Amino acid sequence: MQVITDQVYAFSKDNAPCATAHPGEVLVFKTLDCFSNRIPDENTTMADLDYTYGFANPAAGPVYVKGAEPGDVLVVDIYEVEVADEGTIATDDHCGPLFETTGYRTKKIPIRDGMADFNGVKFPIDPMIGVIGTAPDGEDVIDGFVGAHGGNLDNKLITKGTRLYLPVRVPGALLQMGDVHAAMGDAELCGTGIEIPAEITVKVSLIKGFELHWPVHETFGPHGKWYVNASAQEFDEALKNASKELQRLLMRITGWDAVETYMYMSVQSDVELNQACKPCEVQLSLRIGTPKLPGFPPLVG
């Protein structure tokens, strides 16, 4: 099993791959926290790091996937997300709805037996991958930002047991991932979850020749759903991006017209925030989830 340890700070078609994988191969990505492991204690804050998005959210990779060509979809099955025994929450002076009263502060969170301890309040961790995606075919996108390629989705549902579908825009796809959180609430209000180093085990595979405009993920079990992930600087545009893609994908499998599909989405699909710690330079990231439709083909595939 290949272990990916190289770190990059942008999604780029010009990044040299650090490894090559075949469809069906299982890989382990060893990741740093979003601060590149540079906050050793609570006396160190983001102000001490010269913290900019160009030096944030390192991602392990990229990995070249054999046979992946533009117009394909890269499928990533997340088998495991194992985290370290301590994570970090930090605030700054410009991120999140309460930034004016926050300033710079760091809090270390011990992790024991699958539980986080916040001032004696213990709750189960649910490790998730904040940054994951493929290379765009245009300009580079630094790891702190999100887009149609994936990137800083900050979706708490991208976790063990989830299957993620990513558009392939360049040969080999150039998969990379990082920015794991031991726990994070929807919207990530102060701009950080419990940021933590991790080891991520995934399987990669391909769907050939499938049109996909935005990342999609699939959950399983009795309440399994399909989710379209989209982003923009403002909520209304992000909502339109996700809605148009979900409508298009549902029309393809159901044969319904656009208006009927829109009506169905209005009564069966939920809009949920991934990351919305505005005001902040990072785009707003959201997801629209819709129940799986027995008797119809998969939404992607």
Side-chain angles (χ1 to χ4, degrees):
M1 189 182 302
Q2 294 191 75
V3 178
I4 311 304
T5 58
D6 286 30
Q7 308 288 318
V8 291
Y9 287 86
F11 289 84
S12 173
K13 63 183 182 299
D14 298 319
N15 280 343
C18 65
T20 298
H22 291 82
E25 188 169 344
V26 176
L27 307 166
V28 174
F29 289 76
K30 297 188 72 168
T31 67
L32 309 178
D33 71 16
C34 76
F35 313 110
S36 301
N37 296 355
R38 292 185 296 159
I39 297 186
D41 53 48
E42 293 184 346
N43 294 319
T44 306
T45 72
M46 293 171 67
D48 299 313
L49 304 183
D50 186 25
Y51 189 83
T52 64
Y53 288 106
F55 296 95
N57 292 17
V63 173
Y64 185 101
V65 180
K66 292 282 287 185
E69 296 292 341
D72 295 340
V73 172
L74 180 66
V75 184
V76 182
D77 282 288
I78 303 169
Y79 284 174
E80 189 62 75
V81 185
E82 299 180 83
V83 299
D85 59 9
E86 183 179 75
T88 306
I89 309 172
T91 58
D92 60 30
D93 65 351
H94 68 279
C95 191
L98 304 180
F99 79 95
E100 292 173 319
T101 59
T102 299
Y104 289 91
R105 186 180 296 185
T106 295
K107 191 168 190 64
K108 289 291 185 177
I109 305 296
I111 310 292
R112 298 289 184 274
D113 300 320
M115 303 290 286
D117 186 337
F118 188 105
N119 289 350
V121 176
K122 297 182 180 181
F123 52 88
I125 64 172
D126 189 10
M128 46 78 65
I129 304 167
V131 170
I132 185 168
T134 56
D137 57 359
E139 294 183 0
D140 296 357
V141 180
I142 59 178
D143 289 351
F145 286 78
V146 61
H149 66 293
N152 192 23
L153 294 166
D154 271 343
N155 181 340
K156 72 177 186 180
L157 302 185
I158 299 178
T159 186
K160 179 180 178 179
T162 295
R163 179 174 292 156
L164 181 64
Y165 301 83
L166 295 165
V168 176
R169 299 287 182 249
V170 302
L174 299 183
L175 173 67
Q176 59 196 58
M177 64 188 74
D179 183 35
V180 167
H181 308 95
M184 190 194 85
D186 277 341
E188 197 184 30
L189 284 175
C190 84
T192 58
I194 301 179
E195 311 291 337
I196 198 161
E199 292 189 5
I200 308 165
T201 304
V202 304
K203 184 181 79 171
V204 295
S205 53
L206 291 174
I207 298 172
K208 299 295 292 181
F210 186 92
E211 182 181 358
L212 191 64
H213 300 159
W214 291 91
V216 169
H217 74 273
E218 178 184 7
T219 61
F220 297 89
H223 304 294
K225 289 185 176 183
W226 292 96
Y227 293 84
V228 171
N229 295 266
S231 57
Q233 279 297 340
E234 302 300 333
F235 174 82
D236 55 351
E237 186 180 354
L239 180 62
K240 182 179 289 188
N241 289 338
S243 298
K244 287 174 65 176
E245 181 71 339
L246 180 58
Q247 182 190 52
R248 183 184 72 84
L249 291 169
L250 281 171
M251 288 173 63
R252 186 189 71 85
I253 66 170
T254 62
W256 302 336
D257 67 25
V259 178
E260 283 191 328
T261 304
Y262 189 30
M263 291 175 173
Y264 175 80
M265 290 164 56
S266 189
V267 298
Q268 282 288 279
S269 302
D270 295 318
V271 178
E272 303 166 7
L273 293 174
N274 292 333
Q275 189 201 65
C277 51
K278 293 292 187 178
C280 167
E281 299 95 325
V282 174
Q283 306 97 318
L284 184 142
S285 171
L286 57 76
R287 60 186 183 265
I288 302 183
T290 198
K292 294 182 178 179
L293 290 170
F296 288 88
L299 196 68
V300 179

